[in-house]
Coordinates of all heavy atoms in Angstrom, one line a residue:
C1 N -90.5 -70.4 100.1 CA -91.5 -70.0 101.1 C -92.7 -69.4 100.5 O -92.6 -68.9 99.4 CB -90.9 -69.1 102.1 SG -89.5 -69.8 103.1
D2 N -93.8 -69.5 101.2 CA -95.1 -69.0 100.6 C -95.9 -68.4 101.7 O -95.9 -68.8 102.8 CB -95.9 -70.2 100.0 CG -97.2 -69.8 99.4 OD1 -97.2 -68.9 98.6 OD2 -98.2 -70.4 99.8
D3 N -96.6 -67.3 101.4 CA -97.5 -66.6 102.3 C -98.9 -66.8 101.8 O -99.3 -66.2 100.8 CB -97.2 -65.1 102.4 CG -98.0 -64.4 103.5 OD1 -98.8 -65.1 104.1 OD2 -97.7 -63.2 103.7
P4 N -99.7 -67.7 102.4 CA -101.0 -68.1 101.9 C -102.0 -66.9 101.9 O -103.0 -66.9 101.2 CB -101.5 -69.3 102.7 CG -100.7 -69.1 104.0 CD -99.4 -68.5 103.6
D5 N -101.8 -66.0 102.9 CA -102.7 -64.9 103.0 C -101.9 -63.6 103.3 O -101.3 -63.5 104.3 CB -103.7 -65.2 104.2 CG -104.8 -64.1 104.3 OD1 -104.7 -63.1 103.6 OD2 -105.7 -64.4 105.1
T6 N -101.9 -62.7 102.3 CA -101.0 -61.6 102.4 C -101.7 -60.4 103.1 O -101.1 -59.3 103.1 CB -100.5 -61.1 101.0 OG1 -101.7 -60.9 100.2 CG2 -99.7 -62.2 100.4
A7 N -102.8 -60.6 103.7 CA -103.5 -59.5 104.4 C -102.7 -59.0 105.6 O -102.0 -59.8 106.2 CB -104.9 -59.9 104.8
A8 N -102.7 -57.8 105.9 CA -101.9 -57.2 106.9 C -102.2 -57.8 108.3 O -101.3 -57.8 109.2 CB -102.0 -55.7 107.0
D9 N -103.4 -58.3 108.5 CA -103.8 -58.8 109.8 C -103.5 -60.3 110.0 O -103.9 -60.9 110.9 CB -105.2 -58.5 110.1 CG -106.2 -59.2 109.1 OD1 -105.7 -59.6 108.0 OD2 -107.4 -59.3 109.5
T10 N -102.8 -60.9 109.0 CA -102.5 -62.3 109.1 C -100.9 -62.5 109.0 O -100.4 -63.2 108.1 CB -103.1 -63.1 107.9 OG1 -102.6 -62.6 106.7 CG2 -104.6 -63.0 108.0
L11 N -100.3 -62.0 110.0 CA -98.8 -62.1 110.1 C -98.5 -63.5 110.6 O -99.2 -64.1 111.3 CB -98.2 -61.0 111.0 CG -98.5 -59.6 110.5 CD1 -97.9 -58.6 111.5 CD2 -97.9 -59.4 109.1
S12 N -97.3 -63.9 110.4 CA -96.7 -65.2 110.9 C -97.5 -66.4 110.4 O -97.4 -67.5 111.1 CB -96.6 -65.2 112.4 OG -95.8 -64.1 112.9
D13 N -98.1 -66.3 109.2 CA -98.7 -67.5 108.7 C -98.0 -68.1 107.5 O -98.4 -69.0 106.9 CB -100.2 -67.3 108.3 CG -100.3 -66.2 107.2 OD1 -99.4 -65.5 107.0 OD2 -101.4 -66.2 106.5
W14 N -96.9 -67.5 107.1 CA -96.1 -67.9 106.0 C -95.4 -69.3 106.3 O -95.1 -69.6 107.4 CB -95.1 -66.9 105.5 CG -94.1 -66.4 106.6 CD1 -94.4 -65.4 107.5 CD2 -92.8 -66.8 106.8 NE1 -93.3 -65.3 108.3 CE2 -92.3 -66.1 107.9 CE3 -92.0 -67.8 106.2 CZ2 -91.0 -66.3 108.4 CZ3 -90.7 -68.0 106.7 CH2 -90.2 -67.2 107.8
T15 N -95.2 -70.1 105.3 CA -94.7 -71.4 105.4 C -93.5 -71.6 104.5 O -93.4 -71.0 103.4 CB -95.7 -72.5 105.2 OG1 -96.2 -72.4 103.8 CG2 -96.9 -72.4 106.1
C16 N -92.5 -72.4 104.9 CA -91.4 -72.8 104.1 C -91.5 -74.3 104.0 O -91.6 -75.0 105.0 CB -90.1 -72.3 104.7 SG -89.7 -70.6 104.5
T17 N -91.3 -74.8 102.7 CA -91.3 -76.2 102.5 C -90.0 -76.5 101.7 O -89.7 -75.8 100.8 CB -92.5 -76.7 101.7 OG1 -93.7 -76.3 102.4 CG2 -92.5 -78.2 101.4
C18 N -89.3 -77.6 102.1 CA -88.1 -77.9 101.5 C -88.3 -78.5 100.1 O -89.3 -79.2 99.9 CB -87.3 -79.0 102.3 SG -86.9 -78.4 104.0
P19 N -87.4 -78.3 99.2 CA -87.5 -78.8 97.8 C -87.2 -80.3 97.8 O -86.4 -80.8 98.6 CB -86.5 -78.0 97.0 CG -85.5 -77.6 98.0 CD -86.2 -77.4 99.3
V20 N -87.9 -81.0 97.0 CA -87.7 -82.5 96.8 C -86.3 -82.6 96.2 O -85.9 -81.8 95.3 CB -88.8 -83.0 95.8 CG1 -88.5 -84.5 95.5 CG2 -90.1 -82.9 96.5
P21 N -85.5 -83.6 96.6 CA -85.8 -84.7 97.4 C -85.7 -84.5 98.9 O -85.9 -85.5 99.7 CB -84.8 -85.8 96.9 CG -83.6 -85.0 96.6 CD -84.1 -83.7 96.1
S22 N -85.3 -83.4 99.4 CA -85.2 -83.2 100.9 C -86.6 -83.0 101.5 O -87.6 -82.8 100.7 CB -84.4 -81.9 101.2 OG -84.9 -80.8 100.6
V23 N -86.7 -83.2 102.8 CA -87.9 -83.1 103.5 C -87.8 -82.1 104.6 O -86.8 -81.9 105.2 CB -88.4 -84.5 104.0 CG1 -88.7 -85.4 102.8 CG2 -87.4 -85.1 104.9
G24 N -89.0 -81.5 104.9 CA -89.0 -80.6 106.1 C -89.9 -79.4 105.7 O -90.1 -79.0 104.5
D25 N -90.6 -78.8 106.7 CA -91.4 -77.6 106.5 C -91.5 -76.9 107.9 O -91.1 -77.5 108.9 CB -92.7 -77.9 105.9 CG -93.5 -79.0 106.7 OD1 -93.4 -79.0 108.0 OD2 -94.3 -79.7 106.1
A26 N -91.9 -75.7 107.8 CA -92.0 -74.9 109.0 C -92.9 -73.7 108.8 O -93.1 -73.3 107.6 CB -90.6 -74.3 109.4
V27 N -93.6 -73.2 109.8 CA -94.4 -72.0 109.8 C -93.7 -70.9 110.4 O -93.2 -71.0 111.5 CB -95.8 -72.3 110.5 CG1 -96.7 -71.1 110.5 CG2 -96.5 -73.5 109.8
A28 N -93.7 -69.8 109.7 CA -93.1 -68.5 110.2 C -91.6 -68.6 110.6 O -91.1 -67.9 111.4 CB -93.9 -68.0 111.4
M29 N -90.9 -69.5 109.9 CA -89.5 -69.6 110.1 C -88.9 -70.4 108.9 O -89.7 -71.1 108.2 CB -89.1 -70.3 111.4 CG -89.5 -71.7 111.5 SD -89.0 -72.5 113.0 CE -89.8 -71.6 114.3
V30 N -87.7 -70.4 108.7 CA -87.0 -71.1 107.7 C -87.1 -72.6 108.0 O -86.8 -73.0 109.2 CB -85.6 -70.7 107.5 CG1 -84.8 -71.5 106.5 CG2 -85.5 -69.2 107.0
A31 N -87.4 -73.5 107.1 CA -87.5 -74.9 107.3 C -86.1 -75.5 107.4 O -85.2 -75.1 106.8 CB -88.3 -75.6 106.2
T32 N -86.0 -76.5 108.3 CA -84.7 -77.3 108.3 C -84.9 -78.5 107.4 O -85.8 -79.3 107.6 CB -84.5 -77.8 109.8 OG1 -84.4 -76.7 110.6 CG2 -83.3 -78.7 109.8
C33 N -84.1 -78.5 106.3 CA -84.3 -79.5 105.3 C -83.3 -80.7 105.5 O -82.2 -80.5 105.8 CB -84.0 -78.9 103.9 SG -85.1 -77.6 103.5
T34 N -83.9 -81.9 105.4 CA -83.0 -83.1 105.7 C -83.2 -84.1 104.5 O -84.2 -84.0 103.8 CB -83.4 -83.8 107.0 OG1 -84.8 -84.2 106.9 CG2 -83.2 -82.9 108.2
I35 N -82.2 -84.9 104.3 CA -82.3 -86.0 103.3 C -81.5 -87.2 103.8 O -80.4 -87.0 104.3 CB -81.8 -85.5 102.0 CG1 -82.0 -86.6 100.9 CG2 -80.4 -85.1 102.0 CD1 -81.8 -86.1 99.5
D36 N -82.1 -88.4 103.8 CA -81.4 -89.6 104.2 C -80.9 -90.2 102.9 O -81.6 -90.8 102.1 CB -82.3 -90.5 104.9 CG -81.6 -91.8 105.5 OD1 -80.4 -92.1 105.0 OD2 -82.1 -92.4 106.4
E37 N -79.6 -90.1 102.7 CA -79.0 -90.5 101.4 C -79.0 -92.1 101.3 O -78.8 -92.6 100.2 CB -77.5 -90.1 101.3 CG -77.4 -88.6 101.2 CD -76.0 -88.1 101.1 OE1 -75.3 -88.0 102.2 OE2 -75.5 -88.0 100.0
C38 N -79.3 -92.8 102.4 CA -79.4 -94.2 102.3 C -80.8 -94.7 101.8 O -80.9 -95.8 101.3 CB -79.1 -94.8 103.6 SG -77.4 -94.6 104.2
T39 N -81.8 -93.8 101.9 CA -83.1 -94.3 101.5 C -83.8 -93.5 100.4 O -84.8 -93.9 99.9 CB -84.0 -94.2 102.8 OG1 -84.1 -92.9 103.2 CG2 -83.6 -95.1 103.9
E40 N -83.2 -92.4 100.0 CA -83.9 -91.5 99.0 C -83.5 -91.9 97.6 O -82.3 -91.6 97.2 CB -83.5 -90.0 99.3 CG -84.1 -89.1 98.3 CD -85.6 -89.2 98.2 OE1 -86.3 -89.1 99.2 OE2 -86.1 -89.5 97.1
P41 N -84.4 -92.5 96.8 CA -84.0 -92.9 95.5 C -84.0 -91.8 94.4 O -83.4 -92.1 93.4 CB -85.2 -93.9 95.2 CG -86.3 -93.4 96.0 CD -85.7 -92.8 97.2
S42 N -84.5 -90.7 94.7 CA -84.5 -89.6 93.7 C -83.3 -88.7 93.7 O -83.2 -87.8 92.9 CB -85.8 -88.8 93.7 OG -85.9 -88.1 94.9
C43 N -82.5 -88.9 94.7 CA -81.2 -88.0 94.9 C -80.1 -88.7 94.1 O -79.7 -89.8 94.4 CB -80.9 -87.9 96.3 SG -79.3 -87.3 96.7
V44 N -79.6 -88.0 93.0 CA -78.7 -88.7 92.1 C -77.3 -89.0 92.7 O -76.6 -89.9 92.2 CB -78.4 -87.8 90.8 CG1 -79.7 -87.7 90.0 CG2 -77.9 -86.4 91.2
T45 N -77.0 -88.4 93.9 CA -75.7 -88.8 94.5 C -75.9 -89.6 95.7 O -75.0 -89.9 96.4 CB -74.9 -87.5 95.0 OG1 -75.7 -86.8 95.9 CG2 -74.6 -86.6 93.8
C46 N -77.1 -90.1 96.0 CA -77.5 -90.9 97.2 C -77.2 -92.3 96.9 O -77.3 -92.9 95.8 CB -78.9 -90.7 97.6 SG -79.2 -89.0 98.1
A47 N -76.9 -93.0 98.0 CA -76.6 -94.5 97.9 C -77.8 -95.2 97.4 O -77.7 -96.2 96.6 CB -76.2 -95.0 99.3
A48 N -79.0 -94.8 97.8 CA -80.2 -95.5 97.4 C -80.4 -95.4 95.8 O -80.8 -96.4 95.2 CB -81.5 -94.9 98.1
A49 N -80.1 -94.3 95.3 CA -80.2 -94.1 93.8 C -79.1 -94.8 93.1 O -79.4 -95.3 92.0 CB -80.2 -92.6 93.5
L50 N -78.0 -94.9 93.6 CA -76.8 -95.5 93.0 C -76.8 -97.0 93.2 O -76.0 -97.7 92.5 CB -75.5 -94.9 93.5 CG -75.3 -93.4 93.3 CD1 -74.1 -93.0 94.0 CD2 -75.2 -93.2 91.8
G51 N -77.6 -97.5 94.1 CA -77.6 -99.0 94.4 C -76.3 -99.4 95.0 O -75.8 -100.5 94.8
A52 N -75.7 -98.5 95.8 CA -74.4 -98.6 96.3 C -74.2 -99.7 97.3 O -73.2 -100.5 97.3 CB -73.8 -97.3 96.8
C53 N -75.1 -99.8 98.3 CA -74.9 -100.7 99.4 C -75.7 -102.0 99.0 O -76.9 -102.0 99.0 CB -75.4 -100.1 100.7 SG -74.4 -98.7 101.3
A54 N -75.0 -103.0 98.8 CA -75.6 -104.3 98.4 C -76.0 -105.1 99.6 O -75.8 -104.8 100.7 CB -74.5 -105.1 97.5
T55 N -76.5 -106.3 99.3 CA -76.9 -107.2 100.3 C -75.6 -107.6 101.1 O -74.6 -107.8 100.5 CB -77.5 -108.5 99.7 OG1 -78.7 -108.1 99.0 CG2 -77.8 -109.5 100.8
G56 N -75.7 -107.6 102.4 CA -74.5 -107.9 103.2 C -73.7 -106.6 103.6 O -72.6 -106.7 104.1
Q57 N -74.3 -105.5 103.3 CA -73.7 -104.2 103.6 C -74.8 -103.3 104.2 O -75.9 -103.4 104.0 CB -73.1 -103.5 102.4 CG -72.1 -104.3 101.6 CD -71.7 -103.7 100.3 OE1 -72.3 -102.7 99.9 NE2 -70.7 -104.3 99.7
T58 N -74.3 -102.4 105.1 CA -75.2 -101.5 105.8 C -74.9 -100.1 105.5 O -73.7 -99.7 105.5 CB -75.1 -101.7 107.3 OG1 -75.5 -103.1 107.6 CG2 -76.1 -100.8 108.1
C59 N -75.9 -99.3 105.1 CA -75.7 -97.9 104.7 C -75.9 -97.0 106.0 O -76.8 -97.3 106.8 CB -76.6 -97.5 103.6 SG -76.3 -95.8 103.0
N60 N -75.1 -96.0 106.1 CA -75.3 -95.0 107.2 C -75.1 -93.6 106.6 O -74.1 -93.4 106.0 CB -74.3 -95.3 108.3 CG -74.5 -94.3 109.5 OD1 -75.6 -94.0 109.9 ND2 -73.4 -93.8 109.9
D61 N -76.0 -92.7 106.9 CA -75.8 -91.3 106.5 C -75.6 -90.5 107.9 O -76.6 -90.3 108.6 CB -77.1 -90.8 105.8 CG -76.9 -89.4 105.3 OD1 -75.9 -88.8 105.5 OD2 -77.9 -88.8 104.7
P62 N -74.4 -90.2 108.2 CA -74.1 -89.6 109.5 C -74.7 -88.2 109.7 O -74.9 -87.7 110.8 CB -72.6 -89.6 109.6 CG -72.2 -89.5 108.2 CD -73.2 -90.3 107.4
N63 N -74.9 -87.4 108.6 CA -75.4 -86.1 108.7 C -76.5 -85.9 107.7 O -76.2 -85.8 106.5 CB -74.3 -85.1 108.5 CG -74.7 -83.6 108.7 OD1 -75.9 -83.3 108.7 ND2 -73.7 -82.8 108.9
K64 N -77.7 -85.9 108.1 CA -78.9 -85.8 107.2 C -79.2 -84.4 106.7 O -80.2 -84.2 106.1 CB -80.0 -86.6 107.8 CG -79.8 -88.1 107.9 CD -80.9 -88.8 108.6 CE -80.7 -90.3 108.7 NZ -79.5 -90.7 109.4
A65 N -78.4 -83.4 107.1 CA -78.7 -82.1 106.6 C -78.7 -82.1 105.1 O -77.8 -82.7 104.5 CB -77.7 -81.1 107.2
A66 N -79.6 -81.4 104.4 CA -79.7 -81.4 103.0 C -78.5 -80.8 102.3 O -78.2 -81.1 101.1 CB -81.0 -80.6 102.5
D67 N -77.7 -80.0 103.0 CA -76.5 -79.4 102.4 C -75.2 -80.2 102.7 O -74.1 -79.8 102.4 CB -76.3 -78.0 102.8 CG -76.1 -77.8 104.4 OD1 -76.3 -78.8 105.1 OD2 -75.8 -76.7 104.8
Q68 N -75.4 -81.4 103.3 CA -74.3 -82.3 103.6 C -74.5 -83.6 102.8 O -74.8 -84.7 103.4 CB -74.3 -82.6 105.1 CG -74.0 -81.4 105.9 CD -72.6 -80.8 105.7 OE1 -71.6 -81.5 105.7 NE2 -72.5 -79.5 105.5
L69 N -74.3 -83.6 101.5 CA -74.4 -84.7 100.7 C -73.1 -85.4 100.5 O -72.0 -84.8 100.7 CB -75.0 -84.3 99.3 CG -76.4 -83.7 99.4 CD1 -76.9 -83.3 98.0 CD2 -77.4 -84.7 100.1
R70 N -73.1 -86.6 100.0 CA -71.9 -87.4 99.7 C -71.1 -87.8 100.9 O -69.9 -88.1 100.8 CB -71.1 -86.7 98.7 CG -71.8 -86.5 97.4 CD -70.9 -85.8 96.4 NE -71.7 -85.6 95.1 CZ -71.4 -84.7 94.2 NH1 -70.3 -83.9 94.4 NH2 -72.1 -84.6 93.1
D71 N -71.8 -87.9 102.1 CA -71.1 -88.3 103.3 C -71.5 -89.7 103.8 O -71.1 -90.2 104.8 CB -71.2 -87.3 104.4 CG -72.7 -87.1 104.9 OD1 -73.6 -87.5 104.1 OD2 -72.9 -86.6 106.0
W72 N -72.4 -90.4 103.0 CA -72.9 -91.7 103.4 C -71.8 -92.7 103.3 O -70.9 -92.6 102.5 CB -74.1 -92.1 102.5 CG -73.9 -92.0 101.1 CD1 -74.2 -91.0 100.2 CD2 -73.4 -93.1 100.2 NE1 -73.9 -91.3 98.9 CE2 -73.4 -92.6 98.9 CE3 -72.9 -94.4 100.4 CZ2 -73.0 -93.3 97.8 CZ3 -72.5 -95.1 99.3 CH2 -72.5 -94.6 98.0
T73 N -71.9 -93.7 104.1 CA -70.9 -94.8 104.1 C -71.7 -96.2 104.0 O -72.8 -96.3 104.4 CB -70.1 -94.9 105.4 OG1 -71.0 -95.1 106.5 CG2 -69.3 -93.6 105.6
C74 N -71.0 -97.1 103.4 CA -71.4 -98.5 103.3 C -70.4 -99.3 104.2 O -69.2 -99.2 103.9 CB -71.4 -99.0 101.9 SG -72.9 -98.5 101.0
T75 N -70.9 -100.1 105.1 CA -70.1 -100.9 105.9 C -70.4 -102.3 105.7 O -71.6 -102.7 105.6 CB -70.3 -100.5 107.4 OG1 -70.0 -99.1 107.6 CG2 -69.4 -101.3 108.3
C76 N -69.4 -103.2 105.5 CA -69.7 -104.6 105.3 C -70.1 -105.3 106.6 O -69.6 -105.0 107.7 CB -68.4 -105.3 104.8 SG -67.7 -104.5 103.3
D77 N -71.1 -106.1 106.5 CA -71.7 -106.9 107.6 C -70.8 -108.0 107.9 O -70.1 -108.6 107.0 CB -73.1 -107.4 107.3 CG -74.1 -106.2 107.1 OD1 -73.8 -105.1 107.5 OD2 -75.1 -106.5 106.4
A78 N -70.7 -108.4 109.2 CA -69.9 -109.6 109.7 C -70.4 -110.8 108.9 O -71.6 -110.9 108.7 CB -70.0 -109.7 111.2
P79 N -69.6 -111.7 108.6 CA -68.2 -111.9 109.0 C -67.2 -111.1 108.1 O -66.0 -111.3 108.2 CB -68.0 -113.4 109.0 CG -68.8 -113.8 107.8 CD -70.0 -112.9 107.9
T80 N -67.7 -110.3 107.2 CA -66.8 -109.6 106.3 C -66.5 -108.2 106.9 O -67.2 -107.8 107.8 CB -67.4 -109.4 104.9 OG1 -68.6 -108.7 105.0 CG2 -67.6 -110.7 104.2
V81 N -65.4 -107.6 106.5 CA -65.0 -106.3 107.0 C -64.7 -105.4 105.8 O -64.3 -105.9 104.7 CB -63.8 -106.3 108.0 CG1 -64.2 -107.1 109.2 CG2 -62.6 -107.0 107.3
G82 N -65.0 -104.1 106.0 CA -64.7 -103.1 105.0 C -65.7 -102.0 105.1 O -66.8 -102.2 105.6
Q83 N -65.2 -100.8 104.6 CA -66.1 -99.6 104.7 C -65.6 -98.7 103.6 O -64.4 -98.6 103.3 CB -66.1 -99.0 106.1 CG -66.9 -97.8 106.2 CD -66.9 -97.2 107.6 OE1 -66.7 -97.8 108.5 NE2 -67.3 -95.9 107.6
A84 N -66.6 -97.9 103.1 CA -66.2 -96.9 102.1 C -67.2 -95.7 102.2 O -68.4 -95.9 102.6 CB -66.2 -97.4 100.7
T85 N -66.7 -94.5 101.9 CA -67.6 -93.4 101.9 C -67.9 -93.0 100.5 O -66.9 -92.8 99.7 CB -66.9 -92.2 102.7 OG1 -66.6 -92.6 104.0 CG2 -67.8 -90.9 102.7
F86 N -69.1 -92.8 100.2 CA -69.6 -92.4 98.8 C -69.2 -93.3 97.7 O -69.0 -92.9 96.6 CB -69.1 -90.9 98.6 CG -69.7 -90.3 97.3 CD1 -71.1 -90.2 97.2 CD2 -68.9 -89.8 96.3 CE1 -71.7 -89.7 96.1 CE2 -69.5 -89.3 95.2 CZ -70.9 -89.2 95.0
M87 N -69.0 -94.6 98.1 CA -68.7 -95.6 97.1 C -69.0 -97.0 97.7 O -69.2 -97.2 98.9 CB -67.3 -95.5 96.6 CG -66.3 -95.8 97.6 SD -64.5 -95.7 97.1 CE -64.5 -94.2 96.2
V88 N -68.9 -98.0 96.8 CA -69.2 -99.4 97.2 C -67.9 -99.9 97.9 O -66.8 -99.7 97.4 CB -69.5 -100.3 96.0 CG1 -69.6 -101.7 96.4 CG2 -70.7 -99.8 95.3
P89 N -68.0 -100.5 99.1 CA -66.8 -101.0 99.8 C -66.4 -102.3 99.2 O -67.1 -103.1 98.6 CB -67.3 -101.2 101.2 CG -68.7 -101.5 101.1 CD -69.2 -100.7 99.9
V90 N -65.1 -102.6 99.5 CA -64.6 -104.0 99.2 C -64.7 -104.8 100.4 O -64.1 -104.4 101.4 CB -63.1 -103.9 98.7 CG1 -62.6 -105.3 98.5 CG2 -63.0 -103.1 97.4
C91 N -65.5 -105.8 100.4 CA -65.8 -106.6 101.6 C -64.9 -107.8 101.6 O -64.9 -108.6 100.5 CB -67.2 -107.0 101.7 SG -68.4 -105.6 101.9
V92 N -64.1 -108.0 102.6 CA -63.2 -109.2 102.7 C -63.6 -110.0 103.9 O -64.0 -109.5 104.9 CB -61.7 -108.8 102.7 CG1 -61.3 -108.2 101.4 CG2 -61.4 -107.9 103.9
L93 N -63.4 -111.3 103.8 CA -63.7 -112.2 104.9 C -62.7 -112.0 106.1 O -61.5 -112.0 105.8 CB -63.7 -113.7 104.4 CG -64.1 -114.7 105.5 CD1 -65.5 -114.5 105.9 CD2 -63.9 -116.1 104.9
D94 N -63.2 -111.8 107.2 CA -62.4 -111.7 108.4 C -62.2 -113.1 109.0 O -63.1 -113.6 109.7 CB -63.0 -110.7 109.4 CG -62.2 -110.5 110.7 OD1 -61.2 -111.3 110.9 OD2 -62.5 -109.7 111.5
E95 N -61.1 -113.7 108.8 CA -60.9 -115.1 109.2 C -61.0 -115.3 110.7 O -61.4 -116.3 111.2 CB -59.6 -115.7 108.6 CG -59.7 -115.8 107.1 CD -58.4 -116.3 106.5 OE1 -57.7 -117.1 107.2 OE2 -58.1 -116.0 105.4
G96 N -60.6 -114.2 111.4 CA -60.7 -114.3 112.9 C -62.2 -114.5 113.4 O -62.4 -115.1 114.4
R97 N -63.1 -114.0 112.6 CA -64.5 -114.1 113.0 C -65.1 -115.4 112.5 O -66.2 -115.8 112.8 CB -65.3 -113.0 112.4 CG -65.0 -111.6 112.9 CD -65.9 -110.6 112.4 NE -65.4 -109.2 112.7 CZ -66.1 -108.1 112.6 NH1 -67.3 -108.2 112.1 NH2 -65.6 -107.0 113.0
Q98 N -64.4 -116.2 111.7 CA -64.9 -117.4 111.1 C -64.4 -118.6 111.9 O -64.8 -119.7 111.7 CB -64.4 -117.6 109.7 CG -65.1 -116.7 108.7 CD -66.6 -117.1 108.6 OE1 -66.9 -118.2 108.2 NE2 -67.5 -116.3 109.0
R99 N -63.5 -118.5 112.9 CA -63.0 -119.6 113.6 C -64.1 -120.2 114.4 O -64.8 -119.6 115.1 CB -61.8 -119.2 114.5 CG -60.6 -118.8 113.7 CD -59.4 -118.7 114.6 NE -58.3 -118.3 113.8 CZ -57.2 -117.8 114.2 NH1 -57.1 -117.5 115.5 NH2 -56.2 -117.5 113.4
S100 N -64.0 -121.5 114.4 CA -65.0 -122.3 115.2 C -64.2 -123.2 116.1 O -63.5 -124.1 115.6 CB -65.9 -123.1 114.3 OG -66.7 -123.9 115.1
W101 N -64.2 -123.0 117.4 CA -63.4 -123.9 118.3 C -64.3 -125.0 118.8 O -65.4 -124.8 119.2 CB -62.9 -123.0 119.5 CG -62.1 -121.8 119.1 CD1 -62.6 -120.6 119.0 CD2 -60.8 -121.8 118.6 NE1 -61.6 -119.7 118.5 CE2 -60.5 -120.5 118.3 CE3 -59.8 -122.8 118.5 CZ2 -59.2 -120.1 117.9 CZ3 -58.5 -122.4 118.1 CH2 -58.2 -121.1 117.7
S102 N -63.7 -126.2 118.7 CA -64.5 -127.4 119.2 C -63.7 -128.1 120.2 O -62.6 -127.9 120.5 CB -64.8 -128.3 118.0 OG -63.9 -128.4 117.0

């Protein structure tokens, strides 16, 4: 946090800014810091930095609070199935989704 003007007549002008790679800022209060582990490339434990979710997989960060890391998941896109938390999933073909009735 930083107080840009420390004069006694300038109260409530202090600001808090979240450290990188998290984002967020606030005036006269503690900032709420967030980080999307699926999109942030500079976070060493994030899916984006690890290249964890490949083509055909979808990343989801259910809790973007900066103190809730390593909770991201990769889910395999149809017609494959599979999911993993904080790692690459094993995607397998769901044959039930591949049937074509004629």
Side-chain angles (χ1 to χ4, degrees):
C1 295
D2 181 53
D3 188 356
D5 188 347
T6 57
D9 63 342
T10 60
L11 300 176
S12 300
D13 65 338
W14 54 279
T15 60
C16 284
T17 302
C18 298
V20 173
S22 59
V23 295
D25 54 35
V27 177
M29 67 177 63
V30 175
T32 300
C33 302
T34 61
I35 185 168
D36 186 341
E37 294 180 275
C38 292
T39 60
E40 180 52 57
S42 65
C43 166
V44 296
T45 62
C46 293
L50 299 172
C53 295
T55 301
Q57 300 171 356
T58 301
C59 186
N60 179 47
D61 184 1
N63 188 340
K64 293 176 178 59
D67 62 351
Q68 297 295 313
L69 299 177
R70 300 180 178 160
D71 64 340
W72 53 267
T73 60
C74 282
T75 304
C76 303
D77 297 338
T80 62
V81 295
Q83 180 177 337
T85 300
F86 190 57
M87 63 177 51
V88 176
V90 174
C91 298
V92 294
L93 183 62
D94 181 351
E95 293 180 28
R97 294 183 188 193
Q98 285 294 297
R99 289 192 180 157
S100 174
W101 304 100
S102 32

